[in-house]
C-alpha cells in the first residue's frame, strides 16, 4: 500500500472546483483547502507505487486549473 499527500497550487478561486474533482477519484481519501504556500492538500492511498504515480500524473496533475503540485510520500 502506498500512501502520500499532494500539495496543490491552483488558479485563483479554483479551490472548490479542485476539491470537487478530487472527490471523484476513489484513491483520494481526503482533500482540504489550506491557507499558506499551497491551496489544497489531498491524501492518496494506492495499491502500489506505480498506481500512485499514475493517479498523480493522469488524474490530479491533469486537472484543469492545477498549476503545480508537490508530492510527499509517506513510509509505512
Amino acid at each position: 500500500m502506498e500512501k502520500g499527500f499532494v500539495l496543490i497550487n491552483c488558479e485563483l478561486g479554483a479551490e472548490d472546483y479542485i476539491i470537487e474533482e478530487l472527490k471523484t477519484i476513489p484513491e483520494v481519501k481526503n482533500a482540504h483547502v489550506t491557507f499558506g504556500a499551497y491551496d489544497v492538500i489531498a491524501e492518496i492511498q494506492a495499491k502500489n507505487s506505480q498506481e500512485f504515480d499514475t493517479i498523480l500524473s493522469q488524474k490530479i496533475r491533469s486537472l484543469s486549473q492545477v498549476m503545480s503540485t508537490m508530492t510527499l510520500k509517506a513510509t509505512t
Side-chain angles (χ1 to χ4, degrees):
M1 179 71 68
E2 289 286 320
K3 183 177 181 177
F5 299 89
V6 181
L7 307 173
I8 302 168
N9 280 321
C10 60
E11 293 180 16
L12 184 63
E15 297 86 0
D16 291 336
Y17 164 77
I18 297 297
I19 293 287
E20 291 305 313
E21 291 296 311
L22 290 172
K23 287 180 181 178
T24 68
I25 302 170
E27 297 83 5
V28 174
K29 301 305 176 187
N30 291 297
H32 304 279
V33 174
T34 62
F35 294 97
Y38 294 92
D39 302 309
V40 174
I41 185 169
E43 178 184 357
I44 300 174
Q45 287 184 351
K47 294 177 186 170
N48 54 48
S49 185
Q50 182 179 3
E51 183 182 67
F52 188 98
D53 295 344
T54 299
I55 293 160
L56 183 61
S57 64
Q58 294 181 9
K59 294 185 180 181
I60 295 177
R61 288 185 179 153
S62 66
L63 290 173
S64 66
Q65 302 184 42
V66 168
M67 296 173 52
S68 65
T69 64
M70 177 184 282
T71 305
L72 307 169
K73 279 193 175 179
T75 60
T76 54

